[in-house]
Amino acid sequence: MVIDLKKCIGCTGCALVCKAENATPPGILWLRVVKHETGKYPQVRRVSVPLQCMHCAEPPCMEVCPTGATFQHPNGIVDIDAELCVGCRYCMMACPYDQRFFLSAERTYFPGHTTPFEQAGYQRHQAGVVSKCNFCTPRLQRGLEPACVANCMSRARTFGDLDDSNSEVSKLIRDRAGYQLHPELGTNPSIYYLPP
Amino acid sequence: MQTENAQEDLWIPTTCGLCYSVCALKVHRVNGTVIKIEGNPESATNRGRLCPRGVSGIMLLYDPNRVNVPLKRTNPNKGLDVDPGWKEITWEEAIDTVAERLRKIRREDPRKLLMTGTVTTQDEVPFSRFFTMAFGTPNGWNSGAGNHCGTAEHLYGALLHASWAKQPDSDHCRYLLNFGSGVGSGSYYTVTGMAQRIAEARLRGMKHVAVDPFLSPSAEKADEWIPIRPGTDAAFALAMLNVLLHELNVYDAEYLKHHTNGPYLIGADGSYLRDETEKVPLIWDPVDAAAKPFHSPEIKDFALDGVYAVDGQRARPAFAVLKEHLAPFTAEWAEPITTIPAATIRRVAKEFAEEARIGSTVVIDGKALPYRPVAVMYFKGAQGHKNALLNCMALELLTEIVGASNVPGGLLGMNSCSVGEPETGQPAWIPKADRDGLMITGYWPSFPPPYPPKEVRATETIDLRGLIPTCPGSSGALPVVMADPKRFAVPYQIEMNLHLGSNYLMTFADPEAVARAFQNVFQVSFALFLDESTYLSDIVLPAASYLERLSHTADWMSSNAAVGEWCYHVRQPVVDPIAQRRSVCEVLLELVERLEMREEFYAFINLLLKLKEPHMLDPTRCYSWSEIVDRRYKSVFGEARGLEWFKKHGVLKWPKQAEEVYWKPSSSARVPIYFEWFKTLGEKVKAQADEIGIELDTSAFQPLPEWRPCRAHEENSPGYDFYAIYYKLPMQTFSGTYDNPWLDEVCQTNPFAYGVAINASAARQRGIEEGDWIEITSVATGHTVRGQAALTEGIHPEVIAIAGCGGHWSKYLPIANQDGKGLCFEWLIPVGLDNVDIPSLTQDTCVKVKVVKATDRGSKRSSRSSRLNDLNHLNDLNPG
Amino acid sequence: MARTEPFQIRIADLRERYRPQREWAEGRGLLLILAHFFTGAGAGAWLFAVPLGSDTGLVAGFFLAVLGAVGHLFFLGRPERFWRMATRMGSSWISRGLVGLSLFLVTAFLYLALLFLAAHTTTLGSILLALSMLGALWTIIYKGFVWASSKGIPLWNTPLVPALYIAYALRGGAAVLILLAGLGIQLGAWEPLEPIKLWLAVSTAVLVLIYLEVMRGSGMTALRSVNLLLFGKVALPFYLGAVLLGLIVPIGIGSFAYLDHIPAGLLALVGLLSLLGDLSIIYCIARAGLYRPLPT
Ligand code: SF4
Ligand code: SF4
Ligand code: SF4
């Protein structure tokens, strides 16, 4: 995936459409947007940077996972099999991008009340396990783009095949000097950012 | 997915109702439960995308804190923090009570009824307006937008762009000079559509220069950020005009001659010279060296400069008068006012002048059109000041002088001109010229449009908009007049407020003062939530949200981007109203019957919804809400495309033609660059005000721009050394979305959403560190609000910036009312005519504050509580 | 303040540049700290008790390790699936650790059973003892690697951490035995422990210093973490627990022991304080763990 920081306006729509699509419970933010400021007044730059699982090609989270719950799909997407996860949270310590969330107990957005939406959606989440972004794998299986890509209101996100050098994403990375976060860690993330 | 054994799995097209952008939705319903809200890719409005609010609508629909049953107040005392003591009643009882009240008022004096609404519901409020018109009251208050409203800006929308709002031409603009508007960054009109278009423009290389005290969400995306002292944007603009006209000598003479009143001759008294017979304005033809009526076919050329003698009178073209007027406003003059170096002002002016490419053309749809790829944007921030009318004028003139108004690349009215759908030729509106050659809007969301000027009728309304008809939006005078109508010779008092979900206590100014004005009014609220303003209600009715109701039209002129396609939608319920919630429009129809005002009401509907035979309403029978909606659609889009068609298809769209988007070159209507009629209007207002005996400073009714200081600029009280400003967030709409737990969550991850942005060095000088609780005390109201400091380099050192409209205190909003959920800026700004721009009735939002580190953590309200206790105590003493 | 729930604190953390890890230190995360401490000290005690021939030491070591294992178990979000954790020996230190710990617990239990039946001098007994010592060693070694393999937390992500944890586990084990001795529980020959203990205390102190010094130079995040330990919110438990109680006092008393005989009560105190110190250091290093800033 490529995220164009020049286009992104930091609206957090992606964070919330992720929530809507995946019905993640309170405090589970598979996607978040942070602000990064550099410079001194009045020469200041503030950039919004959306963050989610980087789907590392060399995922440290998978390496440390003692159960095999964290696994890599053949297409490179790093996913978690909630049925296998024991909730040791080792992966949370291993992920250099701080992208994993542990659901300590079942909870709802309105304390003491479960909305019909949550009733329907929370069946997908069990307490006591770790979860994270899976690039909307169920949507991909239906031939759709990840929700954050489909909804981004500045069209800052492009999804595609990094291995194909002719794909839109590969071109963008080439033409606009796309970069990964913390490349020095050798994780080889699948999310590239285009400079603001 | 849980849809496997579903009996029902539907995608329902409708429209979002969480802000005035009215994006098209596709709502996914499975077994009766809404599980996803997506943007409808069919629609040109949002092209399949939604903002964070839009996708979070599910949480609004199912929020257990919503009002679900009719309620009546049991506590006779009213006050900001006084619990009304809600008691559940039946709809029957509620309607009976309301109808009885209304009947009584209508008998006595219908003007005693006020309606307060907000702009986020582009269906219920306009429809309720028909109700109040038929009822017989002129009183309505666009209170939800309140202080967030563009007020004076909308006036110039009408006068210069024939539209409520405007946008840069995102397809062609190359230089966007933005005085703090949120265009393209998640607020302002057509949020989702413009976010996409402006993002494209950024990639295309459009330079965006943001003039803004704060590196706001919009300024963050700019190529250059120029921090400015709040409320001084007009000084910057005047200096730019000065550089353009006196240093660079850049202006679009052709445009000024043919599309503005620049060549109109102005006499010594500041008025037009008019010809004897037709009484129309004169121009000077330099070829024939003669004055001629502006529309004379014999004109060979228009003089923009010079001094001429016409019938013994000394006359000059308006443009020359303007130019001379601008002479003192040099960049050096502006520097100490704005804190922006003169060199920067000159550079920006030069860039702007060059990029305007005066004289160049571009071919669009086979037609050569002037190409002026520069636009000046501003909105609430630059205009919300004591000098709103003249501030906006200065900012607008930048666009006009270089001829970048409604031409390719420039500033475009948001749908000034519509030739209609190809099949029916409807809906159609086209700006036209009045006798003076000046433009009248083709369409205006309220009635009538600001120009030609309405008559000055002092006693008509409760908000001074009768006396001062130039205010197109939310009047800052309403709470003042309502508190003491006699002083303004208003011969009645507001007795009842039909309150449509606008949280006016938190969106206007000093909540305490506003509450005082409303305390003695019988208030009936159609509410989603028991928010702060419902603390003053007597009856609260559970309203259906946008996902639970049908609307006569979810669209309005500014819900489509200026470029692209025309697009009309439907708003239909995606689930039946939950619990006892009801659609406001349906309840109003019931009230119409109860009050036996069907005849008047239908007449207004026929007129204002432009219903056509055979779809006009016949007062001898009674129509259901969906019948009316159906007739509306059929009247506009033909027999085949009634409500059923729209419910099924969701979207009707067709491409815009170049002459709709870039209508100015082919329009004969001129726009003013010299606002001659302001002066005459001001004189009339003054005369009436004197007659009533109110002191009113009408000096700002003048034809040419000027910068005047706000009260805050002249405030020198020791310790009050910060200006407080407020700005909009992409994840909240006014105050109404703060109880949404999803939006709350993302706000918590953003340091500025709930915090107070403060310059890092300025903060540290005062011992304030990141996350510290600080107290902000307004010199003007004496109120103190509390919040957590968010230190940043990206803010003018004299300024603190508060986002959105948080700081709720209603105990019925358990998510929004917690500590650390933002601040309510309105506590800082006072209510009063001193704080209002008289010609536009714009509320001044410029205020000086004292900022100190709080000695304890938490509660934005602790410092208010003693005051509130006093207030409640007063209430106890004088109930009613 | 309304935001007291751990998940609410986590949301607020997300806007920080340097976000603390909380799952392995706060709330139920405390169980994990205790678990690491008890299994370490237990395994260490076992290792020392064998050469010293202290049966009480063996029993104490075993039960401490059991306590630790229970802590580990209940720290899990899904304790009932704990056995799955043994399935990734190839890559995961937790898997490896679980195997080591299980080996230790099972063989130690069986050995103790034989001991109880006075049948421990058999060949089976010897094999079990050898295996249990292997398991104990394994347990002591793996812990540090679990932390050190956590790529997300630069403070831990260094080979010094395993060394530190081994030192602490051994020291803990010795401290358990000293505590027992101090409490007047008959041990075998406990005297040789004292110099070892002292040596361990001094070398751990040196290791901590080296560790902190190295981490100060290992990038902004680790520096921040060290600052948290030395001057920040973790400074109190660090100075009071890890440094004063855990190092200075035991070293002081230990040196004193060379000169004179130490009363039993004081000896128990040394043991207890050392243990508290060990617990503190594990806790402090966990609490000081910060994630790298994002985006850069
Ligand atoms: S939705 Fe798009 S524009 Fe908004 S924050 Fe996410 S990536 Fe940025
Ligand atoms: S970002 Fe974190 S969770 Fe995602 S693959 Fe990389 S290490 Fe694993
Ligand atoms: S921009 Fe406005 S109308 Fe569009 S999705 Fe957001 S809240 Fe709804």
Side-chain angles (χ1 to χ4, degrees), chain B residues 91-100 103 587-597:
Chain B
W91 263 106
E92 191 58 26
E93 180 183 346
I95 298 258
D96 282 347
T97 319
V98 175
E100 192 188 320
R103 242 191 311 271
V587 176
L588 287 177
L589 284 176
E590 187 175 338
L591 283 172
V592 166
E593 296 301 317
R594 292 286 199 96
L595 298 174
E596 290 161 16
M597 48 186 264

PDB file of all heavy atoms in Angstrom, chain B residues 91-100 103 587-597:
ATOM      1  N   TRP B  91     -46.874  11.228  23.074  1.00  0.00           N
ATOM      2  CA  TRP B  91     -46.866  12.131  21.920  1.00  0.00           C
ATOM      3  C   TRP B  91     -48.153  12.942  21.910  1.00  0.00           C
ATOM      4  O   TRP B  91     -48.157  14.135  21.603  1.00  0.00           O
ATOM      5  CB  TRP B  91     -46.733  11.330  20.631  1.00  0.00           C
ATOM      6  CG  TRP B  91     -45.320  11.253  20.139  1.00  0.00           C
ATOM      7  CD1 TRP B  91     -44.494  10.179  20.194  1.00  0.00           C
ATOM      8  CD2 TRP B  91     -44.585  12.312  19.515  1.00  0.00           C
ATOM      9  NE1 TRP B  91     -43.272  10.493  19.645  1.00  0.00           N
ATOM     10  CE2 TRP B  91     -43.296  11.794  19.206  1.00  0.00           C
ATOM     11  CE3 TRP B  91     -44.865  13.628  19.179  1.00  0.00           C
ATOM     12  CZ2 TRP B  91     -42.306  12.549  18.581  1.00  0.00           C
ATOM     13  CZ3 TRP B  91     -43.878  14.388  18.551  1.00  0.00           C
ATOM     14  CH2 TRP B  91     -42.618  13.850  18.260  1.00  0.00           C
ATOM     15  N   GLU B  92     -49.252  12.265  22.215  1.00  0.00           N
ATOM     16  CA  GLU B  92     -50.557  12.890  22.272  1.00  0.00           C
ATOM     17  C   GLU B  92     -50.517  14.146  23.156  1.00  0.00           C
ATOM     18  O   GLU B  92     -50.844  15.244  22.719  1.00  0.00           O
ATOM     19  CB  GLU B  92     -51.514  11.824  22.862  1.00  0.00           C
ATOM     20  CG  GLU B  92     -52.974  12.100  22.797  1.00  0.00           C
ATOM     21  CD  GLU B  92     -53.492  12.324  21.390  1.00  0.00           C
ATOM     22  OE1 GLU B  92     -52.875  11.809  20.429  1.00  0.00           O
ATOM     23  OE2 GLU B  92     -54.490  13.041  21.260  1.00  0.00           O
ATOM     24  N   GLU B  93     -50.063  13.932  24.359  1.00  0.00           N
ATOM     25  CA  GLU B  93     -50.011  15.051  25.300  1.00  0.00           C
ATOM     26  C   GLU B  93     -49.059  16.132  24.793  1.00  0.00           C
ATOM     27  O   GLU B  93     -49.357  17.327  24.872  1.00  0.00           O
ATOM     28  CB  GLU B  93     -49.552  14.550  26.687  1.00  0.00           C
ATOM     29  CG  GLU B  93     -49.495  15.684  27.699  1.00  0.00           C
ATOM     30  CD  GLU B  93     -48.963  15.246  29.077  1.00  0.00           C
ATOM     31  OE1 GLU B  93     -48.886  14.035  29.348  1.00  0.00           O
ATOM     32  OE2 GLU B  93     -48.620  16.151  29.867  1.00  0.00           O
ATOM     33  N   ALA B  94     -47.937  15.705  24.259  1.00  0.00           N
ATOM     34  CA  ALA B  94     -46.943  16.675  23.787  1.00  0.00           C
ATOM     35  C   ALA B  94     -47.534  17.546  22.680  1.00  0.00           C
ATOM     36  O   ALA B  94     -47.468  18.777  22.722  1.00  0.00           O
ATOM     37  CB  ALA B  94     -45.710  15.937  23.290  1.00  0.00           C
ATOM     38  N   ILE B  95     -48.146  16.909  21.699  1.00  0.00           N
ATOM     39  CA  ILE B  95     -48.704  17.662  20.570  1.00  0.00           C
ATOM     40  C   ILE B  95     -49.833  18.572  21.053  1.00  0.00           C
ATOM     41  O   ILE B  95     -49.939  19.728  20.630  1.00  0.00           O
ATOM     42  CB  ILE B  95     -49.213  16.696  19.478  1.00  0.00           C
ATOM     43  CG1 ILE B  95     -48.059  15.864  18.934  1.00  0.00           C
ATOM     44  CG2 ILE B  95     -49.963  17.435  18.390  1.00  0.00           C
ATOM     45  CD1 ILE B  95     -47.503  16.295  17.619  1.00  0.00           C
ATOM     46  N   ASP B  96     -50.658  18.057  21.944  1.00  0.00           N
ATOM     47  CA  ASP B  96     -51.736  18.889  22.496  1.00  0.00           C
ATOM     48  C   ASP B  96     -51.174  20.156  23.114  1.00  0.00           C
ATOM     49  O   ASP B  96     -51.629  21.264  22.837  1.00  0.00           O
ATOM     50  CB  ASP B  96     -52.513  18.119  23.570  1.00  0.00           C
ATOM     51  CG  ASP B  96     -53.483  17.117  22.956  1.00  0.00           C
ATOM     52  OD1 ASP B  96     -53.714  17.211  21.730  1.00  0.00           O
ATOM     53  OD2 ASP B  96     -53.976  16.240  23.692  1.00  0.00           O
ATOM     54  N   THR B  97     -50.157  19.975  23.940  1.00  0.00           N
ATOM     55  CA  THR B  97     -49.582  21.131  24.631  1.00  0.00           C
ATOM     56  C   THR B  97     -49.010  22.122  23.628  1.00  0.00           C
ATOM     57  O   THR B  97     -49.239  23.336  23.718  1.00  0.00           O
ATOM     58  CB  THR B  97     -48.447  20.668  25.570  1.00  0.00           C
ATOM     59  OG1 THR B  97     -48.850  19.471  26.226  1.00  0.00           O
ATOM     60  CG2 THR B  97     -48.095  21.731  26.569  1.00  0.00           C
ATOM     61  N   VAL B  98     -48.259  21.595  22.678  1.00  0.00           N
ATOM     62  CA  VAL B  98     -47.615  22.471  21.702  1.00  0.00           C
ATOM     63  C   VAL B  98     -48.663  23.195  20.863  1.00  0.00           C
ATOM     64  O   VAL B  98     -48.595  24.416  20.653  1.00  0.00           O
ATOM     65  CB  VAL B  98     -46.654  21.663  20.805  1.00  0.00           C
ATOM     66  CG1 VAL B  98     -46.064  22.537  19.719  1.00  0.00           C
ATOM     67  CG2 VAL B  98     -45.554  21.028  21.640  1.00  0.00           C
ATOM     68  N   ALA B  99     -49.664  22.442  20.410  1.00  0.00           N
ATOM     69  CA  ALA B  99     -50.687  23.031  19.541  1.00  0.00           C
ATOM     70  C   ALA B  99     -51.446  24.126  20.279  1.00  0.00           C
ATOM     71  O   ALA B  99     -51.715  25.199  19.731  1.00  0.00           O
ATOM     72  CB  ALA B  99     -51.647  21.951  19.053  1.00  0.00           C
ATOM     73  N   GLU B 100     -51.706  23.876  21.511  1.00  0.00           N
ATOM     74  CA  GLU B 100     -52.458  24.866  22.289  1.00  0.00           C
ATOM     75  C   GLU B 100     -51.672  26.163  22.419  1.00  0.00           C
ATOM     76  O   GLU B 100     -52.183  27.255  22.174  1.00  0.00           O
ATOM     77  CB  GLU B 100     -52.747  24.268  23.656  1.00  0.00           C
ATOM     78  CG  GLU B 100     -53.757  25.056  24.446  1.00  0.00           C
ATOM     79  CD  GLU B 100     -53.844  24.507  25.865  1.00  0.00           C
ATOM     80  OE1 GLU B 100     -53.806  23.253  26.013  1.00  0.00           O
ATOM     81  OE2 GLU B 100     -53.902  25.312  26.806  1.00  0.00           O
ATOM     82  N   ARG B 103     -51.554  27.930  19.094  1.00  0.00           N
ATOM     83  CA  ARG B 103     -52.836  28.570  18.776  1.00  0.00           C
ATOM     84  C   ARG B 103     -52.958  29.902  19.478  1.00  0.00           C
ATOM     85  O   ARG B 103     -53.329  30.914  18.894  1.00  0.00           O
ATOM     86  CB  ARG B 103     -53.998  27.644  19.181  1.00  0.00           C
ATOM     87  CG  ARG B 103     -54.846  27.215  17.990  1.00  0.00           C
ATOM     88  CD  ARG B 103     -56.135  26.534  18.400  1.00  0.00           C
ATOM     89  NE  ARG B 103     -55.946  25.485  19.393  1.00  0.00           N
ATOM     90  CZ  ARG B 103     -55.700  24.207  19.107  1.00  0.00           C
ATOM     91  NH1 ARG B 103     -55.630  23.819  17.853  1.00  0.00           N
ATOM     92  NH2 ARG B 103     -55.542  23.325  20.061  1.00  0.00           N
ATOM     93  N   VAL B 587     -44.255  15.802  12.012  1.00  0.00           N
ATOM     94  CA  VAL B 587     -44.897  16.410  13.184  1.00  0.00           C
ATOM     95  C   VAL B 587     -45.422  17.800  12.817  1.00  0.00           C
ATOM     96  O   VAL B 587     -46.529  18.182  13.200  1.00  0.00           O
ATOM     97  CB  VAL B 587     -43.904  16.494  14.364  1.00  0.00           C
ATOM     98  CG1 VAL B 587     -44.539  17.213  15.540  1.00  0.00           C
ATOM     99  CG2 VAL B 587     -43.441  15.099  14.766  1.00  0.00           C
ATOM    100  N   LEU B 588     -44.629  18.530  12.032  1.00  0.00           N
ATOM    101  CA  LEU B 588     -45.076  19.859  11.632  1.00  0.00           C
ATOM    102  C   LEU B 588     -46.359  19.772  10.806  1.00  0.00           C
ATOM    103  O   LEU B 588     -47.266  20.590  10.962  1.00  0.00           O
ATOM    104  CB  LEU B 588     -43.983  20.587  10.848  1.00  0.00           C
ATOM    105  CG  LEU B 588     -42.794  21.068  11.686  1.00  0.00           C
ATOM    106  CD1 LEU B 588     -41.748  21.711  10.789  1.00  0.00           C
ATOM    107  CD2 LEU B 588     -43.238  22.044  12.772  1.00  0.00           C
ATOM    108  N   LEU B 589     -46.428  18.775   9.935  1.00  0.00           N
ATOM    109  CA  LEU B 589     -47.645  18.612   9.133  1.00  0.00           C
ATOM    110  C   LEU B 589     -48.846  18.360  10.041  1.00  0.00           C
ATOM    111  O   LEU B 589     -49.937  18.863   9.799  1.00  0.00           O
ATOM    112  CB  LEU B 589     -47.481  17.455   8.147  1.00  0.00           C
ATOM    113  CG  LEU B 589     -46.613  17.746   6.928  1.00  0.00           C
ATOM    114  CD1 LEU B 589     -46.430  16.493   6.075  1.00  0.00           C
ATOM    115  CD2 LEU B 589     -47.205  18.876   6.096  1.00  0.00           C
ATOM    116  N   GLU B 590     -48.614  17.596  11.086  1.00  0.00           N
ATOM    117  CA  GLU B 590     -49.706  17.348  12.018  1.00  0.00           C
ATOM    118  C   GLU B 590     -50.121  18.642  12.712  1.00  0.00           C
ATOM    119  O   GLU B 590     -51.303  18.940  12.874  1.00  0.00           O
ATOM    120  CB  GLU B 590     -49.285  16.294  13.049  1.00  0.00           C
ATOM    121  CG  GLU B 590     -50.434  15.877  13.929  1.00  0.00           C
ATOM    122  CD  GLU B 590     -50.075  14.745  14.896  1.00  0.00           C
ATOM    123  OE1 GLU B 590     -49.096  14.007  14.616  1.00  0.00           O
ATOM    124  OE2 GLU B 590     -50.765  14.622  15.920  1.00  0.00           O
ATOM    125  N   LEU B 591     -49.112  19.454  13.057  1.00  0.00           N
ATOM    126  CA  LEU B 591     -49.425  20.730  13.711  1.00  0.00           C
ATOM    127  C   LEU B 591     -50.192  21.658  12.769  1.00  0.00           C
ATOM    128  O   LEU B 591     -51.080  22.392  13.190  1.00  0.00           O
ATOM    129  CB  LEU B 591     -48.138  21.401  14.193  1.00  0.00           C
ATOM    130  CG  LEU B 591     -47.536  20.802  15.469  1.00  0.00           C
ATOM    131  CD1 LEU B 591     -46.173  21.404  15.748  1.00  0.00           C
ATOM    132  CD2 LEU B 591     -48.477  21.015  16.667  1.00  0.00           C
ATOM    133  N   VAL B 592     -49.828  21.604  11.498  1.00  0.00           N
ATOM    134  CA  VAL B 592     -50.537  22.424  10.514  1.00  0.00           C
ATOM    135  C   VAL B 592     -52.030  22.107  10.557  1.00  0.00           C
ATOM    136  O   VAL B 592     -52.886  23.005  10.584  1.00  0.00           O
ATOM    137  CB  VAL B 592     -49.970  22.177   9.096  1.00  0.00           C
ATOM    138  CG1 VAL B 592     -50.892  22.733   8.030  1.00  0.00           C
ATOM    139  CG2 VAL B 592     -48.585  22.787   8.979  1.00  0.00           C
ATOM    140  N   GLU B 593     -52.345  20.827  10.617  1.00  0.00           N
ATOM    141  CA  GLU B 593     -53.752  20.420  10.679  1.00  0.00           C
ATOM    142  C   GLU B 593     -54.398  20.883  11.976  1.00  0.00           C
ATOM    143  O   GLU B 593     -55.481  21.437  11.989  1.00  0.00           O
ATOM    144  CB  GLU B 593     -53.871  18.893  10.555  1.00  0.00           C
ATOM    145  CG  GLU B 593     -53.392  18.347   9.217  1.00  0.00           C
ATOM    146  CD  GLU B 593     -54.147  18.937   8.029  1.00  0.00           C
ATOM    147  OE1 GLU B 593     -55.398  19.058   8.122  1.00  0.00           O
ATOM    148  OE2 GLU B 593     -53.503  19.302   7.024  1.00  0.00           O
ATOM    149  N   ARG B 594     -53.669  20.670  13.065  1.00  0.00           N
ATOM    150  CA  ARG B 594     -54.220  21.055  14.370  1.00  0.00           C
ATOM    151  C   ARG B 594     -54.496  22.557  14.430  1.00  0.00           C
ATOM    152  O   ARG B 594     -55.446  22.999  15.047  1.00  0.00           O
ATOM    153  CB  ARG B 594     -53.247  20.707  15.488  1.00  0.00           C
ATOM    154  CG  ARG B 594     -53.058  19.252  15.724  1.00  0.00           C
ATOM    155  CD  ARG B 594     -54.283  18.664  16.420  1.00  0.00           C
ATOM    156  NE  ARG B 594     -53.945  17.408  17.043  1.00  0.00           N
ATOM    157  CZ  ARG B 594     -53.619  17.285  18.327  1.00  0.00           C
ATOM    158  NH1 ARG B 594     -53.649  18.317  19.124  1.00  0.00           N
ATOM    159  NH2 ARG B 594     -53.289  16.113  18.797  1.00  0.00           N
ATOM    160  N   LEU B 595     -53.626  23.324  13.811  1.00  0.00           N
ATOM    161  CA  LEU B 595     -53.767  24.780  13.875  1.00  0.00           C
ATOM    162  C   LEU B 595     -54.677  25.298  12.767  1.00  0.00           C
ATOM    163  O   LEU B 595     -54.861  26.500  12.620  1.00  0.00           O
ATOM    164  CB  LEU B 595     -52.407  25.454  13.768  1.00  0.00           C
ATOM    165  CG  LEU B 595     -51.419  25.126  14.880  1.00  0.00           C
ATOM    166  CD1 LEU B 595     -50.060  25.729  14.595  1.00  0.00           C
ATOM    167  CD2 LEU B 595     -51.951  25.648  16.215  1.00  0.00           C
ATOM    168  N   GLU B 596     -55.165  24.407  11.956  1.00  0.00           N
ATOM    169  CA  GLU B 596     -56.029  24.774  10.825  1.00  0.00           C
ATOM    170  C   GLU B 596     -55.377  25.844   9.956  1.00  0.00           C
ATOM    171  O   GLU B 596     -55.989  26.851   9.624  1.00  0.00           O
ATOM    172  CB  GLU B 596     -57.397  25.229  11.333  1.00  0.00           C
ATOM    173  CG  GLU B 596     -58.180  24.063  11.902  1.00  0.00           C
ATOM    174  CD  GLU B 596     -59.305  24.501  12.822  1.00  0.00           C
ATOM    175  OE1 GLU B 596     -59.659  25.692  12.769  1.00  0.00           O
ATOM    176  OE2 GLU B 596     -59.819  23.648  13.561  1.00  0.00           O
ATOM    177  N   MET B 597     -54.131  25.633   9.645  1.00  0.00           N
ATOM    178  CA  MET B 597     -53.461  26.601   8.774  1.00  0.00           C
ATOM    179  C   MET B 597     -53.029  25.940   7.474  1.00  0.00           C
ATOM    180  O   MET B 597     -52.053  26.339   6.851  1.00  0.00           O
ATOM    181  CB  MET B 597     -52.274  27.265   9.494  1.00  0.00           C
ATOM    182  CG  MET B 597     -51.334  26.320  10.213  1.00  0.00           C
ATOM    183  SD  MET B 597     -50.073  27.204  11.158  1.00  0.00           S
ATOM    184  CE  MET B 597     -48.745  27.165   9.965  1.00  0.00           C
TER     185      MET B 597
END
